[in-house]
Amino acid sequence: MNAPPSSPAPATDAVVLRRRLADALAATGDLRGPAWRAAVESVPREVFAPAWFERSDTERGTMWSPVVGDAATLARVYEDTTLVTQLDGGVAPGDVEGPVFGAPSSSSTLPGLVVGMLEDLGVEDGDRVLEIGSGTGYSTALLARRLGDDLVTSIEVDPETARRAAAALKAAGFEPHLVVGDGLDGVPDRAPFDRLIATCSVREIPRPWLEQSRPGTVILANLTGWLYAFGQARVTVTGPGRAAGEFLPGTVSFMPARRHTPPAPDTGAALAAAGPDRPTELGPEILRDWVGRFVVQGALPNSQQVTAQVGDGPCLDHVLDVDGSHATLLPQQDGSWRVREGGPRRLWSLAERAVTAWRAQGSPPIDAFRLSIDPDRHTIHLPDRSLSWDLPRLEQRRR
Ligand SMILES: C[S@@+](CC[C@H](N)C(=O)[O-])C[C@H]1O[C@@H](n2cnc3c(N)ncnc32)[C@H](O)[C@@H]1O
């Protein structure tokens, strides 16, 4: 029996709810063995997410309502759902009185995904693990419960989030090694690691993660780009600066690591463009297809999609690149599409070429792709390299 929202829930309820959550995660296949089951059944998620924001879609956009105090029920805490705990890099549920607009910047990821990732990571007893993105500390606690505090390091970029996670971990009886800083730099003092897991998405596997690994280290990270297409990459380090692996099945997405978010797009040129247009077989629906979007992102790694309206005109999809290139998709009355391209490169032509090549291979799913890393490049490719693209070289560019 769940406690009514207004009365404090007895601890036994939490025990029952944790067991039920573990059963539910086992039924979905996210929880695959006794080691992580023991962790799920003992880590009190309510300590890590005592308050959160609930989403509601309104005519004016997505709003977030704070859920605090008695309204934050144990029953909800133990649902397999993501609980958003921070908006806009600093707003906590206790900071606001009522619904607000904002973008999620920290959360307790849904337990099924957290546990599924920990299973995918292939953690073994004695492994030293680095987690990037402590968030609420819930997944850090699962790791500490499984491996012991000494073997777990977790890094969080946001100081206030890190402070709350540290307090929650302490309250729940865990003392892993916690660092406040940019996880893209890893934690060299605690290296080498046997496993690295990121709960924010990245545009590449950062060089420091490879440097802080050893041959055999497994890195699990959600790979993204500025088109916000995502693939869950799992690579094994094979030597200095080298790793190889695959993309896992599924449609997992995480908020991007703070240094990997795109710059504000410059919409000026695209919105003002009035140049010639041409027919295209490829409409914007490709950007709503999980793998199709991933393929377009591979071809256009520095481009963003913006949907915008000028005056009373229709709402149009624009693709904008940092080099000033732009493409605007124009719907036609008969359901076909035309595209207007401008700037130094013909962006939509590049997207068309990539999608045609992908379709020529039978439109393979995300888990058909591989990720190969050497000191010079990150390459996403099909096993026979019939389709292949290099990721932009971010670390080099920064130096
Ligand atoms: C989805 S939340 C983490 C969920 C967490 N594992 C949990 O179970 O509560 C992602 C976190 O990554 C953090 N983050 C984003 N960029 C980061 C970076 N460059 N280094 C470390 N943490 C980062 C965010 O502040 C956020 O708290």
Side-chain angles (χ1 to χ4, degrees):
M1 278 271 290
N2 296 334
S6 56
S7 60
T12 48
D13 270 6
V15 172
V16 171
L17 290 169
R18 281 199 281 277
R19 198 170 304 139
R20 266 191 222 152
L21 176 64
D23 289 343
L25 302 188
T28 55
D30 293 317
L31 180 61
R32 292 162 225 157
W36 293 115
R37 173 178 277 274
V40 172
E41 288 190 352
S42 67
V43 172
R45 195 181 186 213
E46 65 275 25
V47 174
F48 298 92
W52 59 85
F53 290 99
E54 292 285 354
R55 175 192 174 118
S56 55
D57 291 313
T58 72
E59 276 182 4
R60 290 189 297 140
T62 303
M63 297 207 74
W64 298 94
S65 305
V67 180
V68 295
D70 289 345
T73 62
L74 270 191
R76 182 78 175 131
V77 165
Y78 285 105
E79 280 176 20
D80 187 17
T81 189
T82 293
L83 297 173
V84 172
T85 50
Q86 188 196 61
L87 299 174
D88 297 334
V91 181
D95 297 343
V96 296
E97 299 276 312
V100 289
F101 291 107
S105 50
S106 192
S107 62
S108 173
T109 306
L110 69 160
L113 176 52
V114 170
V115 172
M117 284 177 69
L118 292 171
E119 295 277 13
D120 288 338
L121 193 61
V123 174
E124 289 172 12
D125 290 347
D127 279 348
R128 290 173 70 84
V129 177
L130 173 62
E131 176 190 51
I132 295 97
S134 316
T136 62
Y138 176 68
S139 49
T140 321
L142 293 175
L143 280 161
R145 171 67 176 79
R146 163 83 172 80
L147 294 168
D149 293 332
D150 287 350
L151 294 176
V152 178
T153 303
S154 184
I155 180 165
E156 168 60 50
V157 74
D158 180 65
E160 180 56 20
T161 301
R163 190 193 62 71
R164 286 176 201 265
L169 283 158
K170 193 163 180 221
F174 298 105
E175 286 186 62
H177 191 87
L178 300 176
V179 181
V180 183
D182 193 336
L184 300 178
D185 297 328
V187 183
D189 296 353
R190 300 274 296 168
F193 300 102
D194 302 297
R195 300 285 184 269
L196 281 88
I197 181 169
T199 57
C200 50
S201 55
V202 286
R203 292 183 75 202
E204 64 170 10
I205 303 298
R207 190 180 299 241
W209 297 4
L210 299 166
E211 288 165 356
Q212 293 165 33
S213 297
R214 54 174 186 75
T217 295
V218 177
I219 301 175
L220 182 63
N222 196 230
L223 211 70
T224 190
W226 288 348
L227 278 176
Y228 291 109
F230 300 87
Q232 191 75 333
R234 179 176 60 188
V235 294
T236 302
V237 174
T238 51
R242 291 177 191 280
E246 72 250 284
F247 286 88
L248 301 177
T251 52
V252 173
S253 63
F254 277 105
M255 46 189 79
R258 294 205 181 166
R259 213 160 77 202
H260 282 187
T261 49
D266 177 4
T267 53
L271 297 186
D277 53 59
R278 64 171 176 85
T280 177
E281 302 276 308
L282 193 67
E285 68 281 351
I286 192 69
L287 299 173
R288 289 186 272 283
D289 178 282
W290 188 266
V291 190
R293 190 177 184 96
F294 188 76
V295 168
V296 174
Q297 181 173 271
L300 305 177
N302 296 319
S303 297
Q304 299 177 59
Q305 181 193 4
V306 173
T307 304
Q309 190 173 10
V310 178
D312 292 338
C315 209
L316 297 177
D317 286 300
H318 308 272
V319 176
L320 313 167
D321 199 274
V322 284
D323 72 359
S325 304
H326 51 90
T328 299
L329 289 153
L330 307 163
Q332 305 300 298
Q333 296 234 319
D334 63 0
S336 67
W337 291 92
R338 297 181 71 85
V339 63
R340 186 167 55 222
E341 293 167 291
R345 288 182 309 144
R346 296 288 165 265
L347 293 183
W348 205 243
S349 307
L350 296 170
E352 287 167 327
R353 205 173 306 150
V355 171
T356 301
W358 171 58
R359 288 179 175 159
Q361 298 303 317
S363 304
I366 196 88
D367 50 311
F369 288 91
R370 302 282 178 268
L371 177 61
S372 296
I373 298 171
D374 67 30
D376 295 325
R377 61 179 61 84
H378 280 45
T379 309
I380 295 177
H381 60 93
L382 290 176
D384 63 1
R385 304 240 172 202
S386 54
L387 200 57
S388 146
W389 58 85
D390 290 342
L391 296 180
R393 298 170 67 184
L394 310 182
E395 297 291 333
Q396 290 241 328
R397 223 189 291 143
R398 271 193 13 249
R399 281 176 187 164

